[in-house]
Amino acid sequence: MNRTPISKLGEFGLIRHLTQDLKNRQPSTCYGVGDDAAVLNHEGKRTLVTTDLLLEGIHFNLEYVPLRHLGYKAVAVNVSDICAMNGKATQITVGLGISSRFAIEDIEEFYAGVRAACEHYKIDLVGGDTCASMNGLMIAITCIGEAEEKDIVYRNGAKVNDLICVTGNLGSAYLGLQLLERELQVFRATQHDNLGKAEENNDAIHEKFEGREYLLERQLKPEARVDVIEALKKAGIKPTAMMDVSDGLSSELFHICSQSKVGCDIYEDKLPIDYQAAALAEEMNLNIVTCALNGGEDYELLFTCDIKDYEKLVPMDDVYIIGHVTETEYDSEHPEQPVNLRMIPRNGNPMPLTAQGWNAF
Amino acid sequence: MNRTPISKLGEFGLIRHLTQDLKNRQPSTCYGVGDDAAVLNHEGKRTLVTTDLLLEGIHFNLEYVPLRHLGYKAVAVNVSDICAMNGKATQITVGLGISSRFAIEDIEEFYAGVRAACEHYKIDLVGGDTCASMNGLMIAITCIGEAEEKDIVYRNGAKVNDLICVTGNLGSAYLGLQLLERELQVFRATQHDNLGKAEENNDAIHEKFEGREYLLERQLKPEARVDVIEALKKAGIKPTAMMDVSDGLSSELFHICSQSKVGCDIYEDKLPIDYQAAALAEEMNLNIVTCALNGGEDYELLFTCDIKDYEKLVPMDDVYIIGHVTETEYDSEHPEQPVNLRMIPRNGNPMPLTAQGWNAF
C-alpha cells in the first residue's frame, strides 16, 4: 500500500482532497463544507444536536479495528443518538486529530467509512476540523438531526405500567470485542510491529472467526436503528421514553428510570440474545446475562411504551418486550442513588440491577 | 489546592457535577444537556454549525495557559467562526478527553472558563461528551448559530474593487505567544515539575510581563468580534466576503481570494499594529509586518465591502481599510495555486503574499 506523508498535502490540501467531491443529499443542507460554518435550514422543525468523542486507546484499538470500519462506526453511533430522540439524522461534522504515524491513505480509508455511513444513512458531511495530534487518532463527531416537536422522545417520560422494549439483541457487540481481544493476545505473542495493520492482522486470524462473523460485525460495524424509528412511526407508536444502548442495558435503564422517576422490572428470560453470543459466552466462561445487561456498544434502542400500544408492538420485527415500569421512591436530592431497578431471573427471586456508567477514569 | 481524582465521581457524576446548574438563555434552546441530543428551534432562520478541535501539545501548552483561560478561548474561537458568517452564536456542545493527570478541580477550572464565555456571549451549553484519554487534554467544541438567509456572508463573494477591511490589530496574539514561550524557556531552566501549574508559573514570571499584559491577553483570552458584527448591522453594511483571522492574514486572504476568484492588493502602512506588539517585535528581533501577516490566533474579522459602503466604514470603531480586491487569472483546475495576492510595502514595490495554511503535520 502506498504511504504518502500528510505533510505532502498540508492541512488545506488534505481537507480539499477529502471533501472535494462531497454531494449534499438533505434539503436542509443549504451550504456544507468550505466556509467558517455550515448553513442549515430545518424549516420550522426542531434541530437536534449530539456530539461524541472517540479516542484511540480508549474507544478503539487500531490493531484490530480497520480504519474504514472506524469511520463508519463513528458516524453510526451519532446517528443512533438522533434515533434515540425519535428524530432523523441529517448532517454531521467530523473533527480529526491525526498523529504522525498516519499517512494520507489511512485518512482516506477512515473517510471512506465516513462516506459509506453518510450514504447509508442519507446524511450530509457539512464541516469539520483536521489537525495534527501528539499521540494517536482522535475523532470528534457532531450529528445534527430534525424532528417535529410533537414527535421528540426524551428519557424522562416513562410512566408506571409502561412496557419496556428493546430492539435486536444484547451483548453481541461486547462478545465481539472479547473475541477480538482474545485473538489479538494470541497474535501479539507471535508477531511484532503489527500496530495499525488491522487489515493484515485480521487476515491472519480470520479463520479463528469462522462462525462468529456476526459478533465481529456487531462490534466493528454497528448500525443505528433507523429502521425501527421508521417502523414505530408507521405503526403509530410514540415511545414514552427512549435511549440507545451504548453503555449497556442496566446503565440505560438507570438513566431512563432516574430521569422519569420510576423503577422497573425486567425479566431474564425475555432478554433477546443471539445464539453466536450465547455460544461464545459459554466457551469463554462468561455469564451471557451479565454480558446482555452490562455489555455496551450494541446501539440497539431501549424504549418504554404505553400499555395500550401492546397490540401494535407484538407484530413488530425485531422489537422485544422485556419488562415493565414500576413505582419507586425517588429522592430527587440524590439522583445518583440507584432507584428501584430489578431483574426477575428464571428462578423468580428479584435481584437489583447495578447501574453505573462506563467508568474509564 | 484540593485534588480530587475524577474516579471519585465517575463519568455520570462528573457530567452532573459540571452541568447541574446550567441555565439556558437562548429562546432557541428547547432542551439542553441531559438527553441523547439537544433540541433547538431556530424558527425559520438558518442554522449555522462549526466545529473545532483543540489538542494539548498542538494548540495549547498547559505550562502557561491556565485552564480557565483555555475554556474561555475554546468557546470564543468557535463563536468567532459564527461571527465570520455574519451570524449570531446561540449554543455550544463541549467534548472533553481527560487524561489521568487531571483532577476534578482542573476540569472545574476549565468549565468555569467555558461558563464565563457562555455568559459573555449569551450562548447556551447544550450537550457534550466527557471521557478518559490516554494522553493529555482534548477539547472538541461545536458551536451552533443562527442568521437570516439574506444576512449570511460567505468567503466567496468578494468582487473586484471591493474594499478589504480588518478589525482590531494583527500580530498581537502571535507576539503574546512568543513572549510566553521565551519566559517559559527561562523558567524551565530554573524549575522542575512545573507541568500543569500554569497559575504558579505565571505568578513567578509575572514581573517579566509588565507592560505586555495586552499581548498576553490577546493570546490567552481572545474575544470573538460580536461587537463588530452588531456594528456592521447597525451601520447597514453587509460585507461581500468575510472570515475570522485564525491562521493569519495572508492565509485568510488566500481563502477569500481563492473562493471568490479574485486577487488583492493590501498596503503595508495600513496594517493595524498595536504599539506593545511593535515594541516586543523590535526587542525580539522579529519583523512586525511578518508577524501581522502570518501570526495566527488574532480572531479579528477580515472582510470585503462594496466600495459604496466607504462612507459608512470610515467612522466605524476599530475597523481598518487595508486594501482592495483586484482581478486575477484564476485557474479553477488548481485551486491550491496562489492567486494574485500582493502587499504594497512602504517603498512601493509590490511583493507577492505567500499564503499557506497552518501546517503542523
Side-chain angles (χ1 to χ4, degrees), chain A residues 34-35 40 47 53 129 142 259, chain B residues 34 40 47 53 129 142 155 259:
Chain A
D35 217 297
L40 315 179
T47 302
L53 270 187
D129 191 15
T142 294
Q259 292 207 20
Chain B
L40 315 179
T47 302
L53 271 185
D129 191 14
T142 295
R155 297 177 179 178
Q259 293 206 19

Side-chain angles (χ1 to χ4, degrees), chain A residues 207-257:
Chain A
E207 60 194 55
K208 301 284 183 69
F209 295 145
E210 263 187 39
R212 274 86 182 248
E213 294 83 355
Y214 175 71
L215 301 180
L216 295 188
E217 189 173 322
R218 291 286 299 200
Q219 172 57 226
L220 295 175
K221 190 167 170 284
E223 297 284 1
R225 298 307 305 258
V226 178
D227 58 331
V228 173
I229 296 302
E230 287 167 358
L232 284 168
K233 198 156 285 178
K234 199 172 269 181
I237 300 171
K238 182 187 171 188
T240 52
M242 185 154 56
M243 281 188 74
D244 66 333
V245 182
S246 52
D247 291 338
L249 180 67
S250 287
S251 176
E252 318 311 358
L253 281 170
F254 169 80
H255 284 300
I256 284 183
C257 289

Side-chain angles (χ1 to χ4, degrees), chain A residues 10-12 16 34-38 40-41 46-50 52-53 129 142 155 255 259 336 357-359, chain B residues 10-12 16 34-38 40-41 46-50 52-53 129 142 155 255 259 336 357-359:
Chain A
E11 180 189 356
F12 301 149
R16 197 163 42 233
D35 217 297
D36 298 280
L40 315 179
N41 177 26
R46 297 295 187 258
T47 302
L48 307 171
V49 186
T50 181
D52 260 323
L53 270 187
D129 191 15
T142 294
R155 297 176 179 178
H255 284 300
Q259 292 207 20
E336 70 282 7
W358 182 254
N359 194 341
Chain B
E11 180 189 354
F12 301 148
R16 197 162 41 233
D35 217 296
D36 298 281
L40 315 179
N41 177 24
R46 296 297 187 259
T47 302
L48 307 171
V49 186
T50 181
D52 260 323
L53 271 185
D129 191 14
T142 295
R155 297 177 179 178
H255 284 300
Q259 293 206 19
E336 71 283 6
W358 181 256
N359 193 342

